[in-house]
């Protein structure tokens, strides 16, 4: 009797069959399907509902009895014809630009400092950043409300001024909100950039120092080019977070004084809540989404072009 031996399969021959079996197995997709469906529903349904309401005559009566009438683009025409709306848009852009620049610059500085500190100092600073980041938004806003209180606030006591009403002055109120939002956002930027800095080989920095590069030159010639995608991602996320910022503004100022801190999200909420113009509030919300989408798509396209060129 003769025995025939089959040659063992070459390396990699079983991989296509295994990959085909994995593709044919529906269980992974079935297991994640409920979570995906729930996420899509929670994200898309409010957006689609707001879009529909923005094209309807939807006031308190329609909210109670239903039967909203379609009015086409009338809400958008009325909104775009208001000078107040364009003032709010300009204020929102200024608010976003001031906060994002401060957040990215200060967060970058702290991230670079984390990379230079010793282990104990780094651990202490990272713990402080994590605690600031973990503080609930409403709790942090309430603390700032107490810190800047006109009569018993610690800030007035430290500055040696008595009775200065931070929340009654438009510029001071705007500054307080900027400080609050920047304080809450810096930990994310600093810790994310520090994580990115740890991936850069030390040999690159040593070579740059041997070539006589200064700290500023090393940052722009070594650190920034390597972490450019990370900077673009962080900036995009901060633009989204600051642009749609609502709880801090509403709790501290409700858009005042004299509308000095009314941004687009606050403006949409005030129209819907005070005037019961749910159709107009939805139109403001949809325009906010469009503005954000245009800004983010432009930023992402520029980031992809830079990656392709690199």
């Amino acid at each position: 009797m003769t025995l025939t031996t089959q040659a063992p399969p070459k390396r990699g021959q079983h991989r296509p069959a295994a990959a085909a079996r994995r593709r044919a197995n529906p269980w992974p997709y079935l297991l994640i399907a409920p979570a995906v469906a729930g996420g899509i529903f929670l994200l898309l349904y409010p957006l689609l509902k707001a879009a529909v309401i923005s094209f309807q005559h939807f006031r308190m009566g329609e909210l109670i009895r239903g039967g909203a009438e379609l009015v086409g683009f009338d809400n958008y025409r009325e909104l775009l014809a208001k000078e107040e709306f364009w003032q709010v848009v300009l204020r929102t852009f200024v608010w976003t630009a001031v906060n994002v620049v401060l957040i990215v610059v200060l967060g970058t500085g702290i991230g670079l400092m984390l990379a230079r500190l010793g282990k104990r100092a780094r651990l202490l600073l990272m713990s402080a950043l994590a605690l600031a980041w973990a503080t609930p938004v409403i709790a942090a806003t309430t603390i700032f409300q107490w810190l800047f209180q006109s009569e018993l606030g610690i800030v007035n006591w430290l500055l040696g001024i008595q009775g200065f009403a931070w929340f009654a002055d438009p510029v001071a109120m705007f500054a307080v909100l900027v400080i609050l939002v920047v304080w809450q956002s810096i930990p994310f930027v600093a810790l994310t950039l520090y994580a990115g800095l740890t991936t850069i080989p030390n040999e690159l920095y040593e070579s740059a120092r041997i070539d006589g590069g200064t700290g500023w030159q090393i940052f722009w010639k070594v650190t920034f080019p390597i972490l450019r995608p990370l900077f673009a991602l962080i900036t995009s996320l901060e633009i989204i977070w600051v642009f749609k910022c609502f709880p801090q503004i509403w709790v501290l100022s409700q858009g005042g004084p004299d509308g000095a801190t009314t941004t687009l999200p606050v403006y949409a909420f005030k129209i819907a809540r005070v005037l019961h113009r749910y159709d107009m509030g939805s139109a403001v919300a949809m325009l906010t989404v469009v503005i954000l989408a245009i800004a983010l798509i432009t930023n992402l396209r520029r980031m992809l072009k830079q990656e392709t060129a690199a």
Side-chain angles (χ1 to χ4, degrees), residues 170-300:
V171 178
M173 184 72 259
F174 192 91
V176 171
L177 285 169
V178 168
I179 294 172
L180 172 59
V181 172
V182 170
W183 175 78
Q184 290 179 317
S185 302
I186 280 179
F188 168 73
V189 176
L191 294 175
T192 303
L193 287 178
Y194 170 69
L197 289 169
T198 58
T199 64
I200 300 177
N202 290 327
E203 292 79 4
L204 296 177
Y205 291 117
E206 293 176 359
S207 300
R209 294 190 189 97
I210 292 174
D211 292 338
T214 62
W216 188 254
Q217 291 172 336
I218 292 174
F219 174 79
W220 283 111
K221 298 296 184 181
V222 178
T223 304
F224 185 76
I226 295 176
L227 298 183
R228 188 191 302 272
L230 188 60
F231 274 102
L233 178 61
I234 288 173
T235 304
S236 300
L237 294 176
E238 291 301 329
I239 289 174
I240 296 173
W241 194 79
V242 173
F243 198 92
K244 66 184 185 66
C245 180
F246 174 80
Q248 299 91 329
I249 300 175
W250 188 254
V251 171
L252 278 184
S253 68
Q254 295 188 357
D258 298 328
T261 57
T262 299
T263 58
L264 281 173
V266 178
Y267 185 59
F269 184 76
K270 289 172 70 174
I271 290 177
R273 181 187 181 189
V274 178
L275 303 178
H276 301 294
R277 293 289 306 273
Y278 306 108
D279 46 8
M280 190 72 71
S282 297
V284 176
M286 295 310 301
L287 289 176
T288 302
V289 172
V290 170
I291 293 172
L292 269 178
I294 293 174
L296 293 176
I297 290 173
T298 303
N299 188 33
L300 291 176

